[in-house]
Amino acid sequence: MSVKAVTSLTNPTVKAVRALHLRKERDETGLFVAEGLKNVTEGVELGHAPQILMFGRDAGDHPLTRKAVAATLAGGGEVLEVSHDILAKVSRRDNPQAVVGVFKQRFAPLDALQPKSAAVWVALHRVRDPGNLGTIVRTADAAGCGAVILVGECCDPFSVEAVRATMGSIFAVPIVRASEAEFAAWRGGWPGSVVGTLLSASVDHRQADYARPALILMGNEQQGLPPDMAALTDVNVKIPMRGRADSLNLSVATGIMIYAVG
């Protein structure tokens, strides 16, 4: 196999990559798009060979691009040198990244997690905003968290927006999906603290007694933790609000809790 030069927007591979902006297409194919040489390189270095690799002419001689090309071809993938117009259409941006990779989605099974392998873990209940989710995955990677567990109907961690926000951490942090019932049953065997942030809590997040491994359970952007999820926590804390704002962005609050617990 070799690198193909493509300039037509009607090329079947180009059309297939553009379609991955739709969740239906991602769900059906099990694929997702990662934009930028940094994101693609993170994937390659962590053993994820691209199924499809696109790059602009100016990026072709970069040593990391060449490494990504070699990994894609070695894995039986397709490599295209494409025009700026194709990169713009694929990315839906006027100033697109010069390298775009298509990778297989990977979810870790809930029952395969080893709680004592990390000090801190994150569970998100019905998170709605892909930017928040991606930022939380990036923060979890930076802090060495064991996994990010998505509970209930959450936004897609492999959407273009979420993957952009992870800055490559989508390849480094195990992502798990679970229903509320599956999570509740699994949580019953958790060996440390299950930590929730609640408006009704009286303990400052910096003063609580956390038993590690600690599992941080965060609610969604609009409602926080509903009663059935709050009932699963055994340590409840609050992050003090000292100004006029009465709440924090979900990704900011989760980041504060990750480092408070860890």
Side-chain angles (χ1 to χ4, degrees):
M1 299 181 70
S2 61
V3 178
K4 302 174 186 176
V6 174
T7 58
S8 172
L9 291 169
T10 61
N11 175 274
T13 301
V14 173
K15 292 171 69 175
V17 176
R18 290 179 64 188
L20 291 174
H21 277 267
L22 301 174
R23 182 164 189 171
K24 178 177 182 291
E25 193 69 19
R26 293 193 300 273
D27 289 345
E28 289 180 354
T29 62
L31 300 174
F32 72 99
V33 174
E35 301 169 323
L37 186 55
K38 181 185 186 302
N39 282 348
V40 170
T41 299
E42 285 292 316
V44 170
E45 290 183 349
L46 290 170
H48 300 248
Q51 304 296 294
I52 301 168
L53 184 71
M54 295 181 171
F55 63 89
R57 181 175 298 174
D58 293 344
D61 290 332
H62 195 291
L64 293 179
T65 303
R66 293 200 297 268
K67 183 177 180 180
V69 168
T72 306
L73 294 177
E78 186 175 4
V79 180
L80 306 180
E81 180 183 296
V82 299
S83 65
H84 179 275
D85 286 346
I86 288 176
L87 289 171
K89 289 293 185 182
V90 166
S91 300
R92 297 186 180 180
R93 287 184 165 188
D94 293 334
N95 297 305
Q97 298 280 354
V99 179
V100 173
V102 174
F103 295 84
K104 288 183 179 179
Q105 300 178 23
R106 295 188 186 180
F107 287 98
L110 185 63
D111 58 6
L113 300 182
Q114 300 293 323
K116 294 184 179 179
S117 65
V120 183
W121 302 69
V122 177
L124 304 172
H125 181 247
R126 298 195 175 189
V127 59
R128 299 300 191 197
D129 185 280
N132 280 338
L133 176 52
T135 301
I136 291 168
V137 171
R138 183 181 179 186
T139 305
D141 181 17
C145 295
V148 173
I149 304 167
L150 306 178
V151 184
E153 294 183 9
C154 294
C155 61
D156 186 1
F158 293 105
S159 69
V160 173
E161 296 81 3
V163 173
R164 280 175 184 161
T166 72
M167 293 293 290
S169 293
I170 190 68
F171 299 107
V173 179
I175 307 294
V176 180
R177 292 186 297 189
S179 67
E180 283 91 345
E182 290 168 339
F183 177 76
W186 175 81
R187 174 263 178 270
W190 188 258
S193 295
V194 179
V195 183
T197 57
L198 298 175
L199 291 175
S200 59
S202 59
V203 179
D204 188 294
H205 72 288
R206 295 161 297 187
Q207 299 171 345
D209 184 16
Y210 302 113
R212 296 176 182 82
L215 173 62
I216 300 167
L217 176 58
M218 302 293 290
N220 75 13
E221 295 86 347
Q222 287 77 36
Q223 300 174 333
L225 284 177
D228 59 332
M229 288 290 106
L232 300 177
T233 65
D234 47 45
V235 177
N236 294 318
V237 298
K238 65 178 180 181
I239 301 173
M241 302 291 115
R242 295 194 175 92
R244 287 186 59 83
D246 60 2
S247 64
L248 291 171
N249 170 275
L250 176 62
S251 62
V252 173
T254 305
I256 289 171
M257 289 304 305
I258 286 173
Y259 280 97
V261 169

